[in-house]
Amino acid sequence: MFEFPRILLVDDDPDIRRILSFNLESDGYKVVVAPTGRDALQAVARKVPDLAIVDLLLPDMHGFEVCREIKKFLNVPIIMLTAVGTEKTIVEGLRQYAEDYVVKPF
């Protein structure tokens, strides 16, 4: 039986989580939301997502740390979705963790 891809959405902004979840679920994706890095890592431990969308500025840990922990054991594609748009951060994110990097507002 076909299952729609599972997307882990990690962002502390409830409006971003609501809007993205609504749009992704409207297209048939299963969205698991996590407002903190710790919640994200617990969600990954329960069931591996097909994709992770990760903010960098989380209340409990940096998004790079979340990505590092995910990539240690899993080959999950990551899209960084963040307000941090410095060239150095974008380059580091793409080189080490993410397949794409989107700067807010989008």
Side-chain angles (χ1 to χ4, degrees):
M1 184 157 124
F2 176 77
E3 278 190 43
F4 282 97
R6 175 183 292 271
I7 298 175
L8 172 63
L9 174 58
V10 187
D11 200 302
D12 61 328
D13 184 326
D15 292 330
I16 296 287
R17 290 194 313 264
R18 183 178 44 78
I19 291 166
L20 283 179
S21 292
F22 175 81
N23 284 295
L24 291 167
E25 288 171 348
S26 294
D27 285 338
Y29 295 98
K30 168 71 176 151
V31 179
V32 176
V33 296
T36 69
R38 195 166 334 291
D39 291 336
L41 296 176
Q42 289 173 353
V44 169
R46 284 190 298 274
K47 184 156 183 175
V48 177
D50 297 295
L51 171 72
I53 301 173
V54 181
D55 187 11
L56 291 185
L57 303 177
L58 299 170
D60 60 342
M61 64 177 61
H62 195 277
F64 282 169
E65 187 178 344
V66 174
C67 295
R68 188 177 310 112
E69 289 300 312
I70 290 172
K71 293 283 189 175
K72 259 189 207 178
F73 305 104
L74 303 168
N75 188 21
V76 174
I78 295 174
I79 298 174
M80 292 187 170
L81 177 63
T82 182
V84 181
T86 63
E87 184 177 339
K88 178 182 175 187
T89 306
I90 293 170
V91 169
E92 180 180 358
L94 290 170
R95 278 195 180 149
Q96 295 187 40
Y97 309 109
E99 281 61 46
D100 203 354
Y101 195 108
V102 179
V103 179
K104 296 176 188 174
F106 54 96

